[in-house]
């Protein structure tokens, strides 16, 4: 499994995008409550918006990835996620922030299914479940360390650095996928 460039690229990009997601999940509530001084109710609305947009986009992303290919969905999605992560701390609060969170929500949860499908596509059929397990195992050490790195950055540079970190890791996920051509396995 680890000698296949496609599998390694998907595992690595999955790790990076999960790292960025965890940084956002850890520091977005703190940013909303402490930096913007919004109420817990407003935070709940933003988090619900993030989730609700995923409900709408998930079947659309699945259908599109089946029709045009996994990579053609993953690369632009990861790129937009990186831009939206950074935009959270760049745009003014209020309706602009709500629009960014809504747009981010279209990818935040839905893209995980496309990533899992991509790994299944490129892995030999007789070891697809093992490949999924290996992807999870491969990702965990990186994901585990992500909130620690983000926390360190926040301690040294301030809360906005966690969003920059999330954006950079999302862009690294894109860079990992770009040079690799996805081909479905022909094994039975």
């Amino acid at each position: 499994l680890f000698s296949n460039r496609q599998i390694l690229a998907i595992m690595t990009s999955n790790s990076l995008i999960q790292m960025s997601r965890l940084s956002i999940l850890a520091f977005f509530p703190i940013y909303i409550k402490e930096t913007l001084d919004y109420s817990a109710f407003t935070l709940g609305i933003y988090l619900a918006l993030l989730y609700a947009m995923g409900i709408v986009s998930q079947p659309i992303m699945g259908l599109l990835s089946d029709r045009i290919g996994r990579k053609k969905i993953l690369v632009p999605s990861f790129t937009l996620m990186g831009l939206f992560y950074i935009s959270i701390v760049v745009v003014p609060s209020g309706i602009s922030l709500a629009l960014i969170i809504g747009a981010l929500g279209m990818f935040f949860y839905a893209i995980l299914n496309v990533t899992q499908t991509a790994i299944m596509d490129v892995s030999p059929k007789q070891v697809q479940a093992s490949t999924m397990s290996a992807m999870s195992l491969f990702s965990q050490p990186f994901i585990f360390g992500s909130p620690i790195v983000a926390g360190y950055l926040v301690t040294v540079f301030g809360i906005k650095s966690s969003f920059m970190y999330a954006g950079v890791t999302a862009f690294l996920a894109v860079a990992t996928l770009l040079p690799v051509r996805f081909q479905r396995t022909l094994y039975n």
Side-chain angles (χ1 to χ4, degrees), residues 4 7-8 10 18 67 70 74 77 87 92 107 110 112 120 129 131 133 139 141 155-156 167 169-170 180 184 187:
N4 182 315
I7 290 173
L8 279 176
I10 295 168
Q18 295 280 28
R67 292 208 173 147
R70 312 297 180 221
L74 291 173
S77 295
S87 296
F107 307 99
L112 298 177
M120 298 289 277
T131 305
S133 298
S139 298
T155 301
V156 175
T169 55
V180 178
R184 291 183 184 220
Y187 312 26

Side-chain angles (χ1 to χ4, degrees), residues 93-170:
S93 58
I95 192 70
S96 299
L97 181 59
L99 291 172
I100 292 296
I101 297 304
L104 176 60
M106 294 188 317
F107 307 99
F108 198 74
Y109 293 107
I111 203 63
L112 298 177
N113 293 336
V114 179
T115 306
Q116 291 172 347
T117 306
I119 199 78
M120 298 289 277
D121 285 348
V122 300
S123 65
K125 298 223 182 297
Q126 63 272 24
V127 292
Q128 286 179 331
S130 298
T131 305
M132 285 292 296
S133 298
M135 182 168 75
S136 178
L137 185 62
F138 179 87
S139 298
Q140 292 310 313
F142 301 104
I143 297 168
F144 172 79
S146 184
I148 297 168
V149 171
Y152 175 78
L153 292 172
V154 168
T155 301
V156 175
F157 301 106
I159 189 78
K160 292 182 178 184
S161 65
S162 66
F163 297 90
M164 300 301 169
Y165 165 74
V168 167
T169 55

Side-chain angles (χ1 to χ4, degrees), residues 23-61:
S23 175
I24 293 300
L25 288 172
F27 291 98
F28 180 71
I30 296 168
Y31 177 71
I32 293 297
K33 289 282 293 154
E34 294 182 10
T35 304
L36 299 181
D37 199 31
Y38 284 168
S39 69
F41 179 73
T42 303
L43 172 60
I45 290 172
Y46 279 130
L47 292 175
L49 182 61
L50 191 67
Y51 183 76
M53 294 305 292
I55 293 170
V56 172
S57 68
Q58 214 159 14
I60 296 167
M61 296 264 269

